[in-house]
C-alpha cells in the first residue's frame, strides 16, 4: 500500500515546494530526448531511463579502462568484529547504516553484515548498505556514479555483487531470516539482491527496507515484506521516472517534511536535507506509530528478525576497485 495522509501533521506552510505531482511522467520523455542525443541511431524504447543509464555506465567504465584506472572489484573482510547492542526498530537499523558512511568513520565502499543471536540460540541477520560516496569516475570506491547507472539500467553492478559476496562470506545459513536495508544507492542494491532468484534460493529474505531509493523498476518477491520510505522533498526516489509497485507485501510511505510538527523535519525540507538519514530515521518512527495495516505487517516481520536478540556482532566487508 501507499501511506501518505497518515504521515501529515499540523505545521506551517511548506518552506519549499512539495512533491510535484506527475514528475514520474516527466523523467521518461526527458531520458528519451537525452538518449536520442547520444551518437548513433537507436530504435524507440519503452524504458528510456534504463536504456539511457546503460550506455552512460559503459562509457564511464571504458573511460576508466583507457585511463588505466581500477576496473576489477575485490571484496575484503575488514579486520575486527564489532559487538554492539542489537537494533530494536527500523529507525535504529537506519542509524546503523549511517555509521557505515566514511564521513561517520565507516570504510569507503563497504557494507556491514550484523549477526543477531537470540535467547534460544537461533540467529538472524541484518545487512546494512549505505549509498553513493563518489561522483567522480574512475576511482577505487565502487559506491559511485557508475554503480548508480548500472543499477538504474538493471545491469550487473558492483554494489549488489559486494552485498551478495558479503552475505555468503558472513556464513548466513539458508534458513536464517535476513533483513536487507539500504539508503539511496544502497536501497537500490538491496532491492536488486532481493530480486535475484539465485539469492532467493540461497537465503531466507524476510524483509527489505529502503530509504530515499529509486526502486520502482525492481520486481520483488511476494514472499518478502518490503517497506520503502520516501520524502516529498527528496528528488532521488523520482530519478527512475516511475512509482513503486503497490502489492500486498510492498508498502511505500511518503511523507511531506514541510508540514511535520517536528521543527527538525521542517528544517530538513530541502533537496539535500530530505535525503539525509537523520530525517528518514524520524520518518521510520512516525510510520511505525501510524497504525497503518501495511506498515504493521512489515513491522511484524522485522520484529521476527530483530526481536529477542541478546547480542549483535557486526562484520564489515569492503569493496575496492583494483587494476587487474
Amino acid at each position: 500500500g501507499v501511506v501518505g495522509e497518515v504521515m501529515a501533521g499540523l505545521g506551517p506552510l511548506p518552506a519549499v515546494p512539495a512533491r510535484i505531482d506527475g514528475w514520474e511522467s516527466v523523467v521518461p520523455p526527458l531520458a528519451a530526448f537525452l538518449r536520442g542525443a547520444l551518437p548513433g541511431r537507436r530504435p524507440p524504447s519503452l524504458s528510456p531511463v534504463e536504456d539511457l543509464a546503460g550506455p552512460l555506465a559503459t562509457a564511464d567504465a571504458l573511460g576508466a579502462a583507457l585511463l588505466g584506472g581500477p576496473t576489477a572489484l575485490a571484496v575484503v573482510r575488514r579486520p575486527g568484529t564489532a559487538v554492539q547492542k542489537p537494533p530494536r526498530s527500523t529507525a535504529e537499523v537506519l542509524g546503523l547504516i549511517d555509521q557505515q558512511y566514511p564521513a561517520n568513520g565507516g570504510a569507503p565502499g563497504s557494507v556491514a553484515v550484523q549477526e543477531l543471536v537470540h535467547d534460544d540460540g537461533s540467529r538472524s541477520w541484518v545487512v546494512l548498505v549505505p549509498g553513493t560516496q563518489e561522483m567522480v569516475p574512475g576511482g577505487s570506491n565502487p559506491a559511485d556514479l557508475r554503480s548508480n547507472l548500472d543499477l538504474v539500467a538493471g545491469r550487473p553492478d558492483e554494489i549488489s555483487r559486494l552485498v551478495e559476496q558479503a552475505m555468503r562470506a558472513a556464513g548466513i545459513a539458508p534458513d536464517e531470516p535476513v533483513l536487507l536495508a539500504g539508503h539511496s544507492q544502497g536501497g537500490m542494491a538491496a532491492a536488486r539482491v532481493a530480486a535475484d532468484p539465485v539469492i532467493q534460493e540461497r537465503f531466507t529474505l524476510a524483509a527489505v527496507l529502503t530509504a530515499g531509493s529509486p526502486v520502482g523498476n525492481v520486481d520483488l518477491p511476494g514472499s518478502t515484506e518490503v517497506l520503502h520510505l520516501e520524502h516529498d522533498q527528496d528528488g532521488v526516489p523520482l530519478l527512475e521516472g516511475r512509482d513503486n509497485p503497490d502489492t500486498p507485501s510492498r508498502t511505500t510511505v511518503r511523507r511531506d517534511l514541510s508540514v511535520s510538527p517536528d521543527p527538525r523535519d521542517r528544517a530538513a525540507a530541502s533537496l539535500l536535507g530530505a535525503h539525509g538519514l537523520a530525517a528518514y530515521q524520524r520518518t521510520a518512527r512516525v510510520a511505525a506509530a501510524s497504525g497503518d495495516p501495511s506498515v504493521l505487517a512489515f513491522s511484524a516481520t522485522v520484529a521476527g528478525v530483530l526481536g529477542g536478540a541478546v547480542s549483535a556482532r557486526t562484520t564489515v566487508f569492503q569493496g575496492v576497485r583494483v587494476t587487474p
Side-chain angles (χ1 to χ4, degrees):
V2 179
V3 184
E5 297 300 323
V6 298
M7 307 279 55
L10 298 177
L13 292 174
V16 298
R19 182 187 180 105
I20 301 174
D21 291 335
W23 174 251
E24 288 85 353
S25 65
V26 175
V27 173
L30 177 60
F33 172 78
L34 295 175
R35 179 172 174 266
L38 294 175
R41 299 184 63 182
R42 292 174 176 80
S45 170
L46 296 177
S47 304
V49 177
E50 292 87 342
D51 291 342
L52 172 65
L56 294 179
T58 297
D60 181 271
L62 289 175
L66 290 173
L67 294 174
T71 57
L73 181 69
V75 179
V76 296
R77 184 192 297 257
R78 298 281 295 181
T81 298
V83 178
Q84 298 173 299
K85 179 182 177 181
R88 300 300 186 194
S89 66
T90 55
E92 291 186 12
V93 169
L94 293 178
L96 292 175
I97 294 175
D98 206 17
Q99 295 176 15
Q100 307 310 313
Y101 278 98
N104 297 326
S110 64
V111 302
V113 180
Q114 187 170 75
E115 174 192 11
L116 303 180
V117 180
H118 299 257
D119 52 10
D120 62 357
S122 63
R123 301 190 306 177
S124 59
W125 302 80
V126 180
V127 181
L128 308 160
V129 194
T132 307
Q133 297 156 31
E134 295 287 346
M135 296 299 288
V136 178
S140 61
N141 188 343
D144 65 353
L145 179 60
R146 186 195 308 168
S147 291
N148 278 327
L149 293 170
D150 280 331
L151 282 161
V152 170
R155 309 191 326 174
D157 69 281
E158 292 174 321
I159 298 302
S160 297
R161 186 163 21 127
L162 168 61
V163 172
E164 177 185 351
Q165 291 188 27
M167 292 173 66
R168 293 181 183 275
I172 302 175
D175 61 342
E176 295 173 339
V178 179
L179 166 61
L180 279 168
H183 171 234
S184 193
Q185 179 191 88
M188 297 168 69
R192 288 288 177 193
V193 169
D196 187 337
V198 175
I199 298 298
Q200 294 169 25
E201 183 70 22
R202 171 65 177 79
F203 300 101
T204 300
L205 304 178
V208 174
L209 170 67
T210 73
S213 305
V215 290
N217 62 345
V218 183
D219 292 326
L220 290 165
S223 57
T224 300
E225 283 288 336
V226 182
L227 180 65
H228 305 299
L229 303 178
E230 298 181 1
H231 293 148
D232 285 358
Q233 289 77 23
D234 185 358
V236 174
L238 309 177
L239 291 178
E240 64 185 349
R242 68 182 71 185
D243 283 324
N244 299 329
D246 182 8
T247 69
S249 62
R250 193 167 180 178
T251 300
T252 299
V253 171
R254 296 188 181 122
R255 185 168 178 239
D256 184 352
L257 297 178
S258 68
V259 297
S260 168
D262 190 329
R264 295 172 298 176
D265 287 336
R266 298 197 298 272
S270 64
L271 289 176
L272 182 60
H275 193 58
L277 269 172
Y280 275 114
Q281 284 181 263
R282 293 191 294 272
T283 294
R285 296 188 186 99
V286 172
S290 69
D292 179 85
S294 296
V295 178
L296 290 176
F298 176 83
S299 298
T301 299
V302 170
V305 178
L306 306 181
V310 295
S311 67
R313 295 167 56 87
T314 302
T315 304
V316 173
F317 297 85
Q318 185 177 19
V320 182
R321 283 203 194 106
V322 296
T323 302

